[in-house]
Amino acid sequence: MADQNCLFCDIVSGKTKTVLEVDTNEFTIFKDIRPAAEHHYLIVTKQHYDSLKVLNESHEKMILAMEEGLKSFFVSKGISTTDALYGFHFPPFISVKHLHMHGIAPRSEMNIISRMVFRPATAWFKTTSEAIAYLKKKLN
């Protein structure tokens, strides 16, 4: 299941010094090393998937669970979810080829560069609902 050359596989399996904020059987949450806002976390699947491109409609529940996991984590840390952004970069605009969702808050405090990098409805970034729409219309 793990890719031996994948940084995120190493992180979720505990092979790095990365602080794991949440660690379940399905997902791991940790801080992004290049935060776009005060609170920027990644939720990473334990099972290795390269990106949204390898998923299909059957993965919708997993995508929804990833967003819910980030929202629950934010609430547990006292981070407002009303001004938060959740989503995925889309190949080839990904830095690590392992499925991961960004949770960013407060969204309104992102700088202009981050607003472009994490801009919904673009070829390079998909919100949860956009990711699900992509999977539903994708030919499997």
Side-chain angles (χ1 to χ4, degrees):
M1 288 215 207
D3 181 320
Q4 62 182 347
N5 296 317
C6 174
L7 173 62
F8 285 176
C9 285
D10 287 347
I11 290 172
V12 302
S13 64
K15 294 180 183 175
T16 71
K17 293 183 180 187
T18 302
V19 174
L20 305 181
E21 302 286 343
V22 174
D23 192 30
T24 72
N25 290 335
E26 290 85 27
F27 309 106
T28 300
I29 297 175
F30 53 91
K31 284 186 177 184
D32 192 294
I33 62 169
R34 292 186 301 265
E38 181 181 356
H39 307 287
H40 187 165
Y41 292 87
L42 302 177
I43 186 166
V44 178
T45 56
K46 290 282 181 99
Q47 183 171 342
H48 183 94
Y49 301 97
D50 281 352
S51 70
L52 283 174
K53 280 187 139 183
V54 302
L55 303 182
N56 59 47
E57 194 173 0
S58 72
H59 295 98
E60 179 178 351
K61 286 182 182 178
M62 180 181 72
I63 298 298
L64 291 170
M66 291 174 79
E67 180 179 70
E68 187 54 41
L70 277 170
K71 285 181 177 178
S72 295
F73 171 70
F74 278 15
V75 168
S76 76
K77 293 290 189 184
I79 301 167
S80 173
T81 58
T82 57
D83 187 24
L85 175 65
Y86 308 96
F88 303 87
H89 279 110
F90 198 78
F93 307 100
I94 56 176
S95 56
V96 178
K97 286 186 178 181
H98 185 127
L99 185 68
H100 59 283
M101 176 186 278
H102 295 263
I104 304 168
R107 179 181 185 176
S108 59
E109 292 182 12
M110 294 188 330
N111 67 35
I112 189 72
I113 302 293
S114 293
R115 287 175 193 248
M116 291 303 298
V117 170
F118 296 98
R119 186 177 186 156
T122 59
W124 57 89
F125 190 79
K126 309 288 182 209
T127 63
T128 305
S129 59
E130 292 165 351
I132 290 170
Y134 163 78
L135 295 179
K136 285 184 175 184
K137 109 177 145 169
K138 178 182 172 190
L139 297 174
N140 296 323

